[in-house]
């Protein structure tokens, strides 16, 4: 079979390539899945760079989320069938024509859900909802987030209103405001214009911003923290621009702020089964009623992985980059 692999850590466009590999056999409690589509996430490419919290042994495969069709069942697997379409959001090495996964990590996909949606159902939407659920926000509270036009930023803005949570989004380009408006997402401010902080305060009024979600890093971390109210919480979700958070000690001290991280895979692994079911039910409800959308920017074949990796970080991207074998 064909598989996307890398023999060294580095820029994904430089080190990823398509190689031949044996078709894997499922072990006890596992299934083999034939890949249909897989999204490229930032954390997938950070892993290839060797800068993520998980560092695989080399040579390594890549990719963590996929939709596919069950091709074979391992010993002891019940409740799943060959030919069934399933999604997974936490299986490493899915950028292969076939991959094995723990049966418990698979989610059966309803017929009405298209492949393009099912391929990106688990990791980003579930992480966004888990993030919201973890923040301790009540109805009427405010949060602010940068990278508002990213996948998680869009999802947070779409999911929060159903819980009565108010969201202000920050984008780095003025064009991003219009892009999000076209998607029905408002209360967005571009940080490339003068007086953008005043526009944030005009949106919020006298309300206190309780939580800031930082997916960018660098100076953007400090920008978000500066807008939080007293005893606010800054949550580091990603590091799109920099692995270092530049925050003012005065804001931390005098606001009595809390700074913490959120790693979706760790949160998901520790989550109680009843909470997982509750959040997944909420997620399917929001998909069914049209509250959230999971757009696709482009679909690339395996052979164009270098171009696909570059496209993932292209400014103005309006949807996910997907890979097809």
């Amino acid at each position: 079979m064909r598989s996307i692999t890398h023999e060294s850590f580095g820029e994904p466009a430089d080190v990823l390539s398509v190689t031949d590999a044996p078709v894997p056999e499922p072990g006890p409690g596992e299934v083999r899945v034939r890949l249909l589509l897989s999204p490229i996430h930032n954390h997938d490419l950070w892993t290839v760079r060797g800068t993520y919290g998980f560092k695989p042994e080399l040579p390594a495969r890549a990719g963590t989320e996929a939709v596919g069709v069950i091709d074979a069942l391992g010993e002891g697997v019940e409740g799943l069938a060959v030919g069934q379409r399933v999604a997974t959001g936490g299986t490493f090495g899915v950028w292969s024509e076939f991959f094995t996964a723990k049966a418990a990590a698979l989610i059966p996909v309803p017929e009405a859900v298209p492949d393009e949606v099912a391929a990106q159902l688990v990791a980003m939407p579930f992480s966004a909802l888990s993030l919201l659920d973890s923040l301790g926000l009540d109805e009427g509270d405010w949060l602010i987030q940068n990278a508002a036009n990213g996948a998680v930023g869009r999802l947070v803005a779409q999911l929060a209103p159903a819980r009565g949570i108010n969201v202000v989004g920050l984008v780095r380009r003025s064009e991003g405001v219009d892009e999000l408006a076209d998607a029905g997402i408002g209360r967005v401010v571009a940080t490339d214009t003068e007086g953008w902080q005043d526009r944030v305060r005009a949106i919020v009024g006298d309300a206190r911003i309780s939580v800031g979600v930082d997916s960018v890093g660098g100076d953007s971390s400090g920008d978000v923290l500066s807008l939080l109210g007293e005893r606010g919480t800054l949550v580091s979700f990603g590091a799109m621009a920099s692995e270092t958070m530049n925050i003012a000690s005065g804001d931390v001290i005098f606001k009595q702020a809390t700074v913490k991280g959120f790693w979706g895979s760790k949160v998901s692994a520790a989550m109680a089964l009843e909470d997982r079911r509750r959040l997944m039910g909420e997620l399917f409800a929001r998909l069914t009623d049209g509250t959230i959308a999971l757009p696709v920017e482009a679909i690339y074949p395996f052979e164009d992985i270098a171009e696909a990796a570059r496209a993932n970080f292209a400014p103005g991207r309006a949807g996910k980059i997907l890979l097809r074998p």
Side-chain angles (χ1 to χ4, degrees):
M1 69 172 185
R2 292 175 303 133
S3 181
I4 294 176
T5 62
H6 58 106
E7 295 186 352
S8 61
F9 296 111
E11 279 304 308
D14 298 330
V15 301
L16 288 171
S17 64
V18 180
T19 58
D20 289 326
V23 175
E25 292 297 327
E30 294 182 338
V31 302
R32 184 171 65 213
V33 179
R34 175 174 57 84
L35 178 66
L36 295 174
L37 288 172
S38 176
I40 295 179
H41 296 306
N42 289 341
H43 64 254
D44 293 324
L45 301 186
W46 294 334
T47 300
V48 174
R49 288 173 177 167
T51 59
Y52 196 52
F54 163 69
K55 201 167 185 177
E57 291 186 11
L58 297 174
R61 295 182 183 174
T64 51
E65 181 171 23
V67 63
V69 176
I70 294 178
D71 179 70
L73 301 176
E75 180 184 348
V77 173
E78 298 179 353
L80 296 172
V82 171
Q84 186 174 12
R85 197 167 54 126
V86 291
T88 179
T91 301
F92 180 70
V94 299
W95 293 353
S96 300
E97 287 184 295
F98 296 90
F99 61 89
T100 57
K102 297 291 185 184
L106 299 176
I107 298 172
V109 178
E111 271 189 42
V113 179
D115 288 344
E116 292 80 1
V117 172
Q120 48 180 323
L121 176 65
V122 183
M124 293 298 105
F126 192 77
S127 287
L129 190 54
S130 299
L131 172 64
L132 272 177
D133 200 59
S134 74
L135 297 177
L137 293 171
D138 296 322
E139 187 173 346
D141 285 346
W142 286 82
L143 75 83
I144 187 167
Q145 61 172 349
N146 55 25
N149 52 345
V152 170
R154 289 170 180 259
L155 288 161
V156 167
Q158 291 167 335
L159 290 165
R163 292 177 166 228
I165 298 169
N166 300 297
V167 179
V168 177
L170 302 178
V171 294
R172 290 184 285 181
R173 302 173 302 108
S174 297
E175 295 85 355
V177 177
D178 295 329
E179 291 166 4
L180 289 173
D182 290 342
I185 298 172
R187 293 174 176 165
V188 179
V189 176
T191 60
D192 66 351
T193 56
E194 277 190 46
W196 66 267
Q197 295 95 335
D198 294 332
R199 281 193 286 281
V200 171
R201 295 185 182 98
I203 291 171
V204 176
D206 294 330
R208 167 181 169 269
I209 302 179
S210 304
V211 174
V213 178
D214 172 33
S215 297
V216 179
D219 292 340
S220 294
S221 305
D223 288 340
V224 173
L225 177 60
S226 71
L227 293 164
L228 299 185
E230 189 173 341
R231 298 187 184 278
T233 299
L234 177 65
V235 180
S236 178
F237 188 87
M240 193 178 302
S242 174
E243 296 174 27
T244 302
M245 300 172 70
N246 298 330
I247 60 177
S249 58
D251 280 334
V252 176
I253 295 168
F254 301 123
K255 292 176 183 284
Q256 301 181 75
T258 298
V259 181
K260 66 179 185 178
F262 182 95
W263 189 5
S265 61
K266 288 286 188 182
V267 172
S268 179
M271 186 177 293
L273 180 59
E274 56 268 28
D275 287 332
R276 185 186 301 276
R277 288 174 174 167
R278 171 177 58 85
L279 294 180
M280 194 56 72
E282 183 177 348
L283 186 58
F284 274 118
R286 298 292 78 79
L287 278 168
T288 302
D289 66 18
T291 295
I292 61 173
L294 300 174
V296 173
E297 177 75 12
I299 300 176
Y300 290 84
F302 274 8
E303 287 72 19
D304 292 339
I305 181 56
E307 184 180 350
R310 285 189 287 265
N312 182 74
F313 292 114
R317 179 168 58 83
K320 270 292 176 187
I321 302 296
L322 303 184
L323 293 172
R324 189 195 304 275

